[in-house]
Amino acid sequence: MIRHRPYGSGHPYAVSEDQRIPSLPLDGQAVELRARSSAAEVVCEFDGVDLPMEPQFSGEGPVVTDGGHLAAAQAKAARAAVGSWTVTTGPLVFGDRYRYRFREPGRTSRWFEVSAARWVPGKISVSGTDRVVPGSVEWLVDADGPRRVRFAVRLDEGDHLVGFGERFNAVDQRGNDLDAVVFEQYKGQGAANKTYLPMPFAFVIGDSSWGFHVRTSRRTWYSSEGDLLTIEAELGPDGELEIAFYDGEPSAVLTRFLDEVGLPTELPSWVFKLWASGNEWNTQTRVLHEMDRHREHDIPVGALVIEAWSDETTFTAFRGAVYEPSSEPHSLADYTFPPDGPWPDPKGMIDELHARDVKVLLWQIPLQKMRPHPRHQAAVDAAQLVEKGYGVREANGKPYRNRGWWFPLSLMPDLSSQEVRDWWTAKRAYLVAEMGVDGFKTDGGEHAWGHDLRYADGRRGDDGNGLFPVHYARAFGDLLREHGKAPVTFSRAGFTGSQPHGAFWAGDEDSTWTAFESSIRAGITASACGIVYWGWDLAGFSGDLPSAELYLRAAGTSAFMPIMQYHSEFNHHRTPIRDRTPWNIAEQTGDASVIPIFREFAQLRERLVPYLTEQAAVAVRGGKPLMRGLFFDHMERELWSYPLQFKLGDALLVVPVTTPGATDVAAYLPSGEWVDVWTGEVLPGGREVTLPAPIERPPVLCASEHWPRLRGVFQ
């Protein structure tokens, strides 16, 4: 067997052991050609010349982050593959087309082609005020035509650059290099400068503000140096690209962007209550026990996310359920739940939770697992997916098999197709229609790798992969609507067009102060791009438990974010457990203050629900974001020195405390008059201040004109 994939696995940040490097060479550049073979000798026939290949064992892979139950899978994917061979060609010349193939004893691969590319004058389309620097537009052209385009726009001194989707590394991207591609970075997103939820949209905020949207679902890159922002984008076969410029203040720019890509959908007020989950809550007894603990400690909870509910082969049946496989969707009556099983009465459990005013969401992934070999209902589902042609396809027409490190080799339903979306969600319809489930955690939308994949809507991987998580959340939102429920999905991946589809969270993170800061930035930037319902796993979900101080600081800040929720990673049921419940944090840290302080935050959150509902209703109609950077309301230059501060609606100013041991915090109060919500003290704005920061009273201020109606919330 000889395997060579010119573009590798499709991993956007790492090369694989069987690809061409670079995949798109420039004029005068040599190319490394890699192939996989188990033979003792491999030769590359390149442009009529035999080039002996050398074995190589240093293949790159994803960065491995220690800790967490997914780290082993990630490490396995990163391991160099034995049986990889490499050779480097001479320099390639622009205008020539080169053919190559690989030979081993008794076997020869097919022919491949490559040509060198060169930057030449090009063109783009512009709508709105043309801010493209004259003469800066260039196409990267090879023998097959234009492959990329790059151009520049001018930035003024003092301009700030905000947006590009959810960003963990910074709020202001001026001076940074970044790209926009959907990617699952398992922890450490800020350090890696990668994101689950990118968008080719940003604001330029300065003396005169404006914004832009690169109207593409292909990968884009951004680099700002001096007074220029350089934008680069992949092109399709037609070589077309359009950029839209929007003039006006940030709120006006966002409104025009949302009018184009889709307004958010208003969700019910219960989403603003506390969300609870733990990846080891994998039985009915455990779930009800944790909910009982909430009641015991008088900590109100509004939503429960059950991750470990399913058999994890179909993600349609509760683990332990007895039923006959079927090619048709099941109903509740088809299932028997053994009394001694993990879920003896899931319908009764959901009814009980509803009686306690707790909504229920179930975890999903958009894959059909194929390892181990599927059996029972999973075998039926996999066969249907293949036989009906319902999967995303490779360029050769074969079903795409997940190339990532999580659930490797799984099939992936082609959710760009309405028919496939209906087929996939019909298998889960009984969960909503008969069991009463209120929403779905639509996890793992980042598995589409490869520029040459084929989608039912006519797109290829380069312009279809980024849209996969949009179709995914939409599919489950439509399922919920169909059965009279609000479209409450909870996703971590997305792209332009995700705004109308449910709620989002910031993905996987360790319990560290650094991750705390990164997640605040993520919330500010995601919200700036029109994501209204956003949260994070407060104090992180992975690794060592947070200290009591970190946990309470994170909880105090999360009480003033759109979604307040805690969650914990699977830890193989080892003890001590790593649940992020307040009682487990209190027990493990020995800090008795955790439960009463967390209780106060959760009860305050309940009192904030009417305000949050009111302010969200404004945001979903194209108004200012619910959680927003201060630049949406204030233009003072000083506020950029305090990038973690944010507003929650029109009234509240939140000053996160992200330094351990702090008793006070430096802040900037924008112009106007502000009221300390805990003391009622009136503070004039337009200045830097030092605010007291006791752990039970996170620094929060209220604009004085709103204080009369919100005073009661804090008293």
Side-chain angles (χ1 to χ4, degrees), residues 650-671:
D650 293 335
L652 299 178
L653 171 62
V654 183
V655 183
V657 180
T658 60
T659 303
T663 57
D664 54 37
V665 61
Y668 180 77
L669 299 188
S671 57

Side-chain angles (χ1 to χ4, degrees), residues 52 127 208 240 242 276 293 433 576 580 603 656:
S127 73
S208 62
E240 297 293 326
E242 182 175 23
R293 296 297 298 272
R580 267 58 173 176
Q603 292 179 350

